[in-house]
Amino acid sequence: MVDFGVGILGTGKYLPDKILTNGDLEKMVDTSDEWIVRRTGMKKRHLLDDNTPSYMMGAEAARLAIEDASLTPMDIDLIIVSTETPDYLTPSMSCLIQKDINAENAAAFDVNAACTGFVYALTIARQFIQTGYYNHILIVANEGLSRIVDWESRNTCVLFGDAAGAVVLGKVDKEYGIRESYLASFGNLGHNLTIPCCYISEEDRQKRGAGKERVIWQDGSEVFTFAVRSMAECVKTVVEKANITIEDVDLIIPHQANLRIINGAAKRLGVEDDKISVILQETGNISSASVPVALDMENKKGRLKKGDTVVLVAFGGGLTCGSILLTWGK
Ligand code: UT7
């Protein structure tokens, strides 16, 4: 029986300076600000410059999270990066970030659970600290979706942006930190959201235009239905596991894919809007970075109070979904 909790010691984020507005998209594809706001809630997204490697965002977010935790990069024992858009398959994004921030004592590996990746990485990291194997783990969600978007397809190009979010996980007093987590995968639904890499099936080739084998493709309405149902179920599961009620939850930080998905899940749960963190109007869908970027925004603007019950919840490619319930201890 451990006599400590495992909690978030620091948070950080990085959003590139370059902004792409709905008005800019109107000039690129057959869309409108009115359609994008009404169907998604999004207004703008941040984009990386073509010449900047994506891991630079994660390195910057990592530095801020380590500083927020009052630690130095040399204190980090392990780096886990969640990404579905790595710069290289090897070296991993975690090794690229390790080098950039000089975290010389850290082991490093990547996790790919698409938009749910941060929840998966946090759950993995928690085990290492609980067992006493490591003391300080840096978790980065690093996503450069603009690199794999078909900029001629209005079905997808209006949705995505680039960003990184990071947290440092470590030991906290036993009444704080992660209390429950839940992970699930539905490989049989994987064909609904795909980004080919070293191989592409004939079916996936047909779904894309010629010369566009590496772009993201999704069946929006199938993913939408999965998203609303799974987000609500994931929240309920950790709330029940923690033996509390939904009324005891102070803030839900969901994956930011579509305001209608967030509202749909909130309605199923009977949760008021003011208990849900929404940032997608500023960022678009930034995949697994959305939960840690929103967490950092809430942390830095003082919305999180010591002792608050917070639920992190996400869904995404795989298909995957997951949730974490924690007591905020900073
Ligand atoms: O984190 C990754 C996981 N992915 C998701 O969470 C995505 C989940 N799905 C969604 O968020 C929504 O399904 C979308 C935002 C992708 C699409 O919204 P929708 O309300 O489901 O639209 P739809 O696909 O049913 O399309 C309705 C109409 C179509 O026109 P027709 O066939 O009715 O004439 C589309 O061609 O809207 C059209 N449309 C657009 N119109 C203007 C699709 N994209 C656009 C656009 N601008 N950008």
Side-chain angles (χ1 to χ4, degrees), residues 97-109:
I97 290 172
Q98 179 205 19
K99 180 180 171 203
D100 199 81
I101 66 171
N102 294 314
E104 289 171 23
N105 297 321
F109 66 87

Side-chain angles (χ1 to χ4, degrees), residues 29-32 35-36 39-40 42 84 115 153-160 193 216 218-225 227 255-261 285-287 315-317:
V29 289
D30 180 16
T31 192
S32 65
W35 191 95
I36 301 171
R39 305 306 291 169
T40 73
M42 294 166 187
E84 58 178 332
C115 306
S153 167
R154 70 177 184 175
N155 292 325
T156 45
C157 78
V158 305
L159 302 175
F160 298 101
L193 205 179
I216 188 167
Q218 66 177 354
D219 183 328
S221 72
E222 286 289 325
V223 178
F224 192 101
T225 308
H255 172 43
Q256 311 278 317
N258 188 324
L259 188 56
R260 289 187 296 132
I261 292 175
N285 181 344
I286 47 176
S287 187
F315 69 91

Side-chain angles (χ1 to χ4, degrees), residues 80-322:
I80 308 178
V81 173
S82 155
T83 187
E84 58 178 332
T85 52
D87 290 327
Y88 288 79
L89 291 179
T90 191
S92 63
M93 293 293 267
S94 50
C95 283
L96 292 167
I97 290 172
Q98 179 205 19
K99 180 180 171 203
D100 199 81
I101 66 171
N102 294 314
E104 289 171 23
N105 297 321
F109 66 87
D110 288 2
V111 163
N112 177 350
C115 306
T116 320
F118 179 74
V119 173
Y120 268 69
L122 209 53
T123 303
I124 296 166
R126 178 194 184 202
Q127 319 302 315
F128 278 115
I129 294 172
Q130 255 177 347
T131 58
Y133 198 84
Y134 288 129
N135 285 319
H136 298 123
I137 302 182
L138 170 69
I139 299 140
V140 184
N142 195 140
E143 303 286 12
L145 277 303
S146 69
R147 303 262 156 102
I148 48 95
V149 156
D150 176 358
W151 288 105
E152 292 174 343
S153 167
R154 70 177 184 175
N155 292 325
T156 45
C157 78
V158 305
L159 302 175
F160 298 101
D162 301 332
V167 302
V168 176
L169 207 65
K171 287 179 186 162
V172 293
D173 287 344
K174 67 173 182 300
E175 61 267 36
Y176 300 107
I178 297 174
R179 286 159 61 187
E180 293 297 340
S181 94
Y182 169 70
L183 304 176
S185 298
F186 303 87
N188 58 324
L189 301 176
H191 56 277
N192 289 306
L193 205 179
T194 52
I195 310 170
C197 178
C198 301
Y199 167 80
I200 180 166
S201 71
E202 198 42 47
E203 186 191 336
D204 279 325
R205 196 187 295 278
Q206 307 264 320
K207 288 173 178 169
R208 295 158 169 83
K212 291 182 177 167
E213 286 78 12
R214 302 287 172 267
V215 300
I216 188 167
W217 180 92
Q218 66 177 354
D219 183 328
S221 72
E222 286 289 325
V223 178
F224 192 101
T225 308
F226 172 81
V228 175
R229 199 182 52 233
S230 66
M231 290 243 281
E233 284 305 314
C234 283
V235 174
K236 269 190 206 155
T237 302
V238 283
V239 164
E240 280 167 16
K241 280 173 90 174
N243 221 3
I244 61 171
T245 68
I246 194 73
E247 286 75 31
D248 298 322
V249 175
D250 296 295
L251 187 66
I252 297 177
I253 303 185
H255 172 43
Q256 311 278 317
N258 188 324
L259 188 56
R260 289 187 296 132
I261 292 175
I262 294 174
N263 289 343
K267 198 170 162 200
R268 280 182 176 224
L269 290 162
V271 170
E272 298 298 321
D273 291 356
D274 64 347
K275 280 195 173 184
I276 301 187
S277 175
V278 178
I279 63 161
L280 53 71
Q281 65 280 7
E282 300 283 317
T283 61
N285 181 344
I286 47 176
S287 187
S288 68
S290 61
V291 170
V293 166
L295 181 68
D296 182 67
M297 287 181 178
E298 301 297 1
N299 178 25
K300 300 289 161 66
K301 73 179 183 213
R303 186 168 176 195
L304 297 168
K305 304 276 178 292
K306 198 165 181 171
D308 276 0
T309 299
V310 181
V311 174
L312 315 178
V313 59
F315 69 91
L319 298 181
T320 55
C321 60

